[in-house]
Amino acid sequence: MFLRRASVAPFFPALTICLLTVGLIACGGRDPAPGSASAEPDAGSGAPAGPPPAWVVAAMAQPRGLLLHEAGTAPGYLIVAPLKTGDIYLVDRDGRAVHSWRRVEAGIADQLLADGSILRGALMADPPNFKAGGVAGVIERISWDGDLMWRWTMASRERILHHDMEPLPNGNVLLIAWELKTLEQAVAAGRKAELVPEQGLWSEWLLEVEPVGKDDARIVWEWHLWDHLVQDHDSALANYGDPAAFPGRLDINADVIQAVNDEEELARLKALGYIPQDATQADLQSDFLHMNSVDYHAGLDQIAVSLPSISELWILDHSTTTVQAKGSAGGRSGKGGEILYRWGNPRMMKRGSDAAPQLFQQHQVEWIPAGFPGAGHLTVFNNGALRPDGQYSSVLEIETPVAADGRYPLPATGPWPPANPKWSYTAPDRESFFAPFISGTQRLPNGNTLICAGPQGHVFEVTPDGKTVWDYRNPYGGRAPGWMPEEAELLPYPLFRARWISPDHPGLARRDLRPLDPQPEVFQPPPPPG
């Protein structure tokens, strides 16, 4: 089944930079179907008046819809939620929409619940303060029939929800939020003054909420990054110490990503449509960690998070009380809210200055479920921006050194193991697979791995030996009110991620899953300006 090919104008406005956690950097790369070479020339870093990177041109040139469906594909469905529209689709493995939910606001990180409702983050058209990629401010639950069941807003000048959420077995929801720390608070915590914009820093905050009624929530547990800092910059401060001796804390000066400092580059970032039109350079500088995913392991009562600005993934103890989460004692681990395990970039904790980073602006870290091949390991989409050996993405499976008691033994010297991933995927022509921002991955029950190259809206399934057996390109798009500038049509089909749904998921029980007739209209973007 092939859908109509998207039109490609011969020239685009300049787009020579790819979205990172705090802005854009020069990038090239290509993105045809996995494993095949692009027919487009590599634009490299380009010049301000030149064409966009080849991966952007290739993304527009590809046909849309189902491209490949071979034997060995895992049965089931896919949640497809275009980043530029409020529509959500349940798509079968033949690429046909079998159900849809219609919303006005664009959303991210959709989850199908046991009753068939959708839990989603909604992107506010005009956030009250902080305006960087992934800002949401709203979480809502939508019934199978499209009725609003619950909607909670947390968005003020001091705090705002962002990126991801995780439904918990007890019916509560685990959320990520930013909380403002003023310039004075950041300097008092040991942050170098030259790294703090005038408006301060947005620090990370995890909170578990219990839905109350149709429009409220009660916070029942929380963890604050600001309680777990170390620094070796100012010996007069209370949290002074050697970061290598405190691996359970963040060195507040460890991040190395440079903030956008050029108005032209900021304008290009806005052209991708991932940040509001009135975002400023200070907004991007304030977002110094950009936590972009959260997952929960019920058996361990632990949380996994991704922090792309420092190219690390962390595991935290959820079994603590909120009071214990502020300190370094308590919970099953006995370590309170300290980081139990971290992997991806040993330089961030000064425990491996010679060790090369293995993560590069990653997204969607999560545990492989019980009963699936690799159960208990972590998977993560390794975007690959700033990778020293070239611009390409990869998907990793990481076997953590977790003990029977849920602890992670740390060697006397050096970082936590493993030295290398248990499994990884790169395209045979590795630079043909490059998604420098958003994106995600998920292990499937048959041992295959689902991969979503988010900017291109490209979802495919690979076997353990890297063969592509299913290939789909999101054909849906649109425009969410108040969010996308006109220039954002350059990449009209992006997905924050795509999530596989088991055919025996309880939310699908006794549902009519015949293909919709007619099928939703394929989005045809207007010709780009210029």
Side-chain angles (χ1 to χ4, degrees):
M1 173 184 176
F2 284 80
L3 298 177
R4 290 178 288 171
R5 181 183 295 270
S7 61
V8 182
F11 300 101
F12 290 104
L15 180 66
T16 61
I17 42 184
C18 295
L19 185 63
L20 289 178
T21 61
V22 292
L24 296 175
I25 60 167
C27 66
R30 306 183 296 278
D31 180 60
S36 63
S38 170
E40 302 291 342
D42 189 348
S45 60
W55 69 268
V56 174
V57 177
M60 285 290 289
Q62 291 290 321
R64 293 280 137 187
L66 184 67
L67 307 181
L68 177 70
H69 187 178
E70 293 189 353
T73 299
Y77 300 86
L78 202 70
I79 291 181
V80 174
L83 192 59
K84 296 185 177 182
T85 175
D87 297 338
I88 306 165
Y89 303 95
L90 187 67
V91 175
D92 67 18
R93 299 317 296 268
D94 290 322
R96 304 168 300 186
V98 301
H99 190 70
S100 65
W101 295 263
R102 306 301 299 269
R103 302 299 298 162
V104 173
E105 297 159 312
I108 53 177
D110 304 89
Q111 298 263 9
L112 182 67
L113 303 183
D115 65 349
S117 62
I118 283 281
L119 188 71
R120 72 191 292 262
L123 302 175
M124 299 183 71
D126 186 23
N129 189 342
F130 190 43
K131 301 183 179 178
V135 63
V138 177
I139 181 172
E140 59 185 13
R141 184 177 177 184
I142 313 300
S143 76
W144 179 266
D145 295 322
D147 297 323
L148 181 64
M149 302 173 66
W150 175 64
R151 178 181 171 95
W152 184 56
T153 301
M154 190 181 77
S156 70
R157 295 189 63 82
E158 291 78 33
R159 59 185 190 173
I160 191 166
L161 300 175
H162 70 97
H163 279 96
D164 203 6
M165 85 285 293
E166 176 73 6
L168 299 178
N170 62 2
N172 294 346
V173 185
L174 194 61
L175 300 169
I176 304 174
W178 279 303
E179 56 180 354
L180 179 65
K181 300 297 178 181
T182 65
L183 187 156
E184 292 76 17
Q185 287 174 314
V187 172
R191 179 80 165 178
K192 296 176 181 178
E194 63 269 23
L195 299 179
V196 187
E198 186 66 30
Q199 71 183 44
L201 294 180
W202 287 86
S203 184
E204 300 296 351
W205 172 25
L206 293 172
L207 58 157
E208 177 184 345
V209 302
E210 175 189 0
V212 176
K214 297 193 68 171
D215 60 1
D216 202 359
R218 183 171 68 93
I219 298 174
V220 299
W221 180 88
E222 50 191 306
W223 174 93
H224 298 263
L225 169 71
W226 213 251
D227 295 326
H228 304 283
L229 301 175
V230 64
Q231 53 84 28
D232 56 4
H233 168 62
D234 188 342
S235 60
L237 299 177
N239 62 347
Y240 181 77
D242 178 5
F246 294 92
R249 303 179 188 181
L250 172 72
D251 176 1
I252 195 172
N253 294 304
D255 56 302
V256 296
I257 303 301
Q258 297 300 308
V260 170
N261 57 10
D262 180 84
E263 287 291 344
E264 185 173 314
E265 290 187 355
L266 185 65
R268 289 167 177 165
L269 189 156
K270 294 175 182 178
L272 284 174
Y274 193 54
I275 63 171
Q277 186 68 4
D278 58 348
T280 67
Q281 294 173 19
D283 286 323
L284 305 180
Q285 290 175 315
S286 294
D287 178 17
F288 78 119
L289 288 177
H290 196 78
M291 186 182 289
N292 60 21
S293 74
V294 61
D295 193 44
Y296 177 72
H297 191 296
L300 297 172
D301 202 4
Q302 293 176 359
I303 298 166
V305 294
S306 166
L307 299 109
S309 292
I310 57 174
S311 292
E312 281 195 327
L313 58 86
W314 294 354
I315 293 178
L316 306 169
D317 192 347
H318 176 260
S319 71
T320 62
T321 65
T322 293
V323 172
Q324 291 170 337
K326 292 180 174 293
S328 56
R332 289 187 188 179
S333 66
K335 295 182 179 294
E338 300 282 272
I339 303 164
L340 302 183
Y341 175 78
R342 55 199 296 187
W343 191 87
N345 192 359
R347 298 173 186 175
M348 294 299 101
M349 54 179 173
K350 298 186 176 178
R351 268 184 160 258
S353 57
D354 296 330
Q358 299 206 56
L359 293 179
F360 301 92
Q361 310 301 307
Q362 74 287 341
H363 283 71
Q364 196 180 359
V365 60
E366 63 178 47
W367 277 281
I368 298 174
F372 289 33
H377 299 173
L378 296 171
T379 54
V380 64
F381 188 99
N382 199 12
N383 294 75
L386 290 182
R387 196 190 293 265
D389 61 337
Q391 292 167 345
Y392 62 93
S393 297
S394 58
V395 171
L396 308 181
E397 176 188 342
I398 302 153
E399 183 176 10
T400 64
V402 61
D405 62 359
R407 302 190 187 197
Y408 299 82
L410 176 64
T413 60
W416 270 281
N420 296 293
K422 178 77 171 179
W423 175 86
S424 65
Y425 169 82
T426 55
D429 171 17
R430 67 184 189 182
E431 291 185 356
S432 69
F433 169 44
F434 181 48
F437 57 100
I438 51 181
S439 310
T441 188
Q442 189 178 5
R443 177 59 49 84
L444 301 177
N446 63 354
N448 291 353
T449 301
L450 187 76
I451 300 170
C452 174
Q456 301 91 339
H458 184 196
V459 187
F460 56 104
E461 180 181 336
V462 300
T463 63
D465 62 2
K467 178 185 177 183
T468 301
V469 294
W470 193 79
D471 198 345
Y472 173 85
R473 289 186 179 254
N474 168 42
Y476 307 121
R479 178 178 295 278
W483 182 259
M484 300 295 167
E486 292 294 331
E487 296 83 356
E489 302 297 354
L490 191 62
L491 283 172
Y493 304 106
L495 304 171
F496 179 68
R497 67 177 61 148
R499 184 165 290 280
W500 173 83
I501 303 297
S502 169
D504 60 0
H505 189 291
L508 302 184
R510 298 179 297 279
R511 304 290 185 186
D512 183 357
L513 298 176
R514 291 174 296 181
L516 299 177
D517 186 16
Q519 285 286 289
E521 185 176 353
V522 175
F523 180 67
Q524 292 293 319

